[in-house]
Amino acid sequence: MPNKTPITVAHGDGIGPEIMAATLQILEAAGAALEIETIDVGEKVYLRGNTSGIEPSSWQSLLRTKVFLKAPITTPQGGGYKSLNVTTRKTLGQYANVRPCVSYHPFVDTKHPNMDIVVVRENEEDLYAGVEYQLSPEMTSAIKLISRPGTEKIVRYAFEYARRHNRKKVTCFAKDNIMKMTDGLFHKIYDEIAAQYPDIQKEYWIVDIGAAKMADTPEAFDVIVMPNLYGDVLSDVAAQIAGSVGLAGSANIGDNCSMFEAIHGSAPRRAGQNLANPSGLLLGAVLMLVHINQSEAAERVHNAWLRTMEDGVHTYDIYAEGVSTQKVGTKEFAAAVIARMGQKPNRLKAVTYAKAPPAAAAAKLTSTAGTKMELKGIDVIVHWPSRNAQDLATVVGKQAGDGLKLQMVDNRGTMVWPAGLAAAETFCTDSFRCRFMAEGATDHAKTLALVKRLSDAGVDIVMTASLRTYDGVAGYSLAQGQ
Ligand code: NAD
């Protein structure tokens, strides 16, 4: 018996306690060596007035064990409650969300009998940083953040995952034909890191057509790595087309603490009736066992579960006449898996989990020290209620000086001054961006003096952005039509 690994367990809300009890029974029967610390999270904690859904003492448990097996929780309706998942992910730096999506044809109905993909989603950046502003009565904005270290970590994780799990290919989805700087960086770093893994195939798809291909022919993919937003949407699509969101588990991996769970919610309508399917949480627990290097127990649990599926012992959510042999409740399902412990599936592919190789030295993040930056100008975002671009250009253009000239004005990213191709037809909102550029380099004193002159002239300034080059390359996008 290996040494027991301390883990933190939360039983959650709704169906959570039932599926957690079933999962823990199965793990025990498989000989998983776990020392469990139980914490309370979710609805009760929220309703006690703790807006994060977790007590400080429970955090201490997570920081101590560094492994969190979490049942779904209910976030109470109404404002002010922060998502516990987002808090855990962000506070504990869980940068990778890993979600295997496998079909179990012919035992679970699916249009894609040979699907076996793993979505690796970046978890901390992108539009999910939640940096939003209302710029004017008519305009709102969200800032999409993609960093070099954040992307290096997620892409390297995807390739290391592929190597460890004997996967052949890592595909990247992004949209760098439109978001040249943010998704462009994601794609560029994917190329850099892929070159360090010659044993694994690489492939890049623009996310829209890639998503269409994945929904149509998922068997063409293996591991797919993507930024946060695309990953959020497409990991649900992948789980659903595999057969059921009720069957998928997921891991949130961080350098310090990782969290394992089902992808579904707390299904309050099914709670307390011994109806829920514990499979999603159980497969999340399998990911946890692999993570803590209890690969033998992981294999026993997963193969016994596959055998149970194949024997047609199904909960109500996947029960189908002609395929299923027995409709069971949560407890009976757990008992059926335990009864098959040590067995392997006959028709579905049995799983094998290799013992983890000795931990490779953490790859160093690429240093960007020494990047040469030069200030070239400033974008001034203004609220201009009349929506008339020509009037705005006349007013702000008069304040140019110190070598800074008004280069263009745009509305929602489309240049409307100087009159572009179809400026008269271009619809304008009340929020404009005015771009002032210098001939050569400029400095903050000059750009800020310009902002002050604009303010003195009565222009309603909402936001400004420095326009710089990085090693000679523009660090700002051009407006449409510029
Ligand atoms: P849900 O996933 O709880 O339920 C969606 C549907 O799937 C329901 O019909 C439900 O009965 C069914 N279902 C889900 N899991 C099942 C299982 N294991 N066995 C059988 N049937 C199952 O989604 P929802 O109804 O949108 O959300 C309910 C609550 O869960 C909300 O409070 C939401 O905030 C929360 N939620 C929590 C998490 C989490 O903790 N990770 C994730 C998603 C939703």
Side-chain angles (χ1 to χ4, degrees):
M1 184 85 152
N3 285 338
K4 286 190 172 184
T5 308
I7 67 166
T8 302
V9 166
H11 290 251
D13 302 313
I15 59 169
E18 296 163 81
I19 60 175
M20 183 59 85
T23 297
L24 294 179
Q25 265 176 20
I26 296 169
L27 296 189
E28 195 184 348
L34 304 172
E35 192 180 304
I36 294 174
E37 292 186 14
T38 304
I39 62 168
D40 243 2
V41 296
E43 201 172 21
K44 282 196 293 280
V45 182
Y46 282 118
L47 295 178
R48 253 184 251 147
N50 186 322
T51 53
S52 60
I54 181 166
E55 303 283 2
S57 57
S58 304
W59 271 116
Q60 291 309 315
S61 172
L62 296 184
L63 295 174
R64 204 165 36 241
T65 67
K66 301 177 172 40
V67 182
F68 187 18
L69 180 62
K70 178 181 147 291
I73 61 160
T74 302
T75 308
Q77 295 290 314
Y81 300 110
K82 291 190 211 110
S83 154
L84 176 63
N85 274 16
V86 176
T87 307
T88 316
R89 261 178 221 161
K90 289 204 157 175
T91 316
L92 300 175
Q94 292 171 347
Y95 61 89
N97 180 265
V98 183
R99 188 182 288 187
C101 299
V102 184
S103 58
Y104 306 102
H105 177 80
F107 308 103
V108 178
D109 192 31
T110 171
K111 297 189 184 82
H112 305 289
N114 299 314
M115 173 170 180
D116 181 2
I117 70 180
V118 180
V119 177
V120 177
R121 160 191 170 194
E122 198 289 317
N123 230 358
E124 295 181 291
E125 303 197 337
D126 199 349
L127 287 159
Y128 287 51
V131 183
E132 297 190 299
Y133 298 97
Q134 180 155 1
L135 303 178
S136 69
E138 291 182 349
M139 182 62 78
T140 57
S141 80
I143 302 210
K144 173 162 166 140
L145 297 170
I146 302 272
S147 75
R148 174 168 272 280
T151 308
E152 285 186 6
K153 281 171 80 169
I154 190 68
V155 174
R156 189 171 298 284
Y157 184 86
F159 277 95
E160 286 292 324
Y161 180 97
R163 213 174 240 176
R164 179 172 178 192
H165 293 269
N166 209 15
R167 298 266 176 174
K168 304 285 178 264
K169 183 165 76 172
V170 175
T171 303
C172 173
F173 282 2
K175 185 83 183 170
D176 60 336
N177 54 332
I178 301 295
M179 282 157 283
K180 297 186 171 67
M181 216 155 285
T182 48
D183 283 21
L185 181 66
F186 199 91
H187 186 177
K188 178 170 181 271
I189 291 172
Y190 168 79
D191 285 343
E192 286 171 14
I193 290 180
Q196 298 164 24
Y197 293 82
D199 48 321
I200 295 166
Q201 291 170 49
K202 61 172 278 208
E203 173 185 65
Y204 175 80
W205 288 80
I206 300 285
V207 60
D208 41 15
I209 188 64
K213 173 85 176 168
M214 185 194 83
D216 181 62
T217 325
E219 59 276 12
F221 295 99
D222 195 341
V223 175
I224 314 181
V225 64
M226 24 187 155
N228 206 340
L229 174 63
Y230 315 137
D232 189 4
V233 176
L234 294 181
S235 59
D236 267 16
V237 173
Q240 181 66 36
I241 64 171
S244 167
V245 276
L247 295 182
S250 91
N252 290 288
I253 304 288
D255 290 332
N256 300 317
C257 177
S258 301
M259 177 172 79
F260 302 86
E261 60 182 347
I263 71 168
H264 60 73
S266 57
R269 281 191 312 125
R270 309 289 180 190
Q273 299 160 61
N274 190 35
L275 277 174
N277 186 349
S279 299
L281 185 60
L282 185 67
L283 294 180
V286 167
L287 296 172
M288 176 191 78
L289 291 174
V290 176
H291 179 79
I292 61 177
N293 226 356
Q294 295 196 24
S295 42
E296 283 168 24
E299 229 169 85
R300 274 196 296 277
V301 171
H302 203 157
N303 283 327
W305 177 82
L306 287 166
R307 181 62 183 262
T308 311
M309 298 303 287
E310 185 178 277
D311 286 348
V313 183
H314 294 165
T315 43
Y316 83 93
D317 53 314
I318 55 166
Y319 183 86
E321 291 294 339
V323 177
S324 309
T325 55
Q326 249 184 295
K327 190 191 255 181
V328 293
T330 316
K331 288 181 184 158
E332 295 72 29
F333 184 82
V337 176
I338 290 169
R340 287 163 179 77
M341 206 53 75
Q343 297 183 28
K344 289 193 170 158
N346 291 319
R347 291 178 60 193
L348 293 170
K349 200 167 147 243
V351 295
T352 51
Y353 290 112
K355 271 213 165 320
K364 281 218 176 64
L365 296 171
T366 306
S367 168
T368 51
T371 304
K372 189 163 176 284
M373 296 179 286
E374 257 186 332
L375 188 66
K376 298 290 188 186
I378 187 167
D379 273 352
V380 184
I381 289 104
V382 303
H383 167 218
W384 192 252
S386 79
R387 300 173 166 177
N388 185 312
Q390 182 58 53
D391 290 354
L392 173 63
T394 305
V395 170
V396 300
K398 280 190 195 142
Q399 305 308 326
D402 284 342
L404 288 158
K405 286 198 184 123
L406 179 65
Q407 187 189 53
M408 67 99 192
V409 174
D410 76 4
N411 198 289
R412 296 187 294 180
T414 300
M415 188 169 82
V416 289
W417 184 93
L421 277 181
E425 279 72 40
T426 306
F427 178 79
C428 286
T429 68
D430 64 356
S431 177
F432 289 82
R433 176 172 64 159
C434 309
R435 174 162 290 179
F436 292 88
M437 295 292 283
E439 286 291 326
T442 184
D443 57 43
H444 288 308
K446 289 179 181 149
T447 57
L448 292 178
L450 166 65
V451 174
K452 171 83 168 59
R453 290 195 298 277
L454 290 169
S455 169
D456 290 345
V459 178
D460 183 11
I461 297 162
V462 180
M463 196 184 265
T464 65
S466 294
L467 304 174
R468 307 204 260 207
T469 54
Y470 293 81
D471 288 333
V473 179
Y476 44 90
S477 56
L478 297 182
Q480 197 70 37
Q482 194 183 355

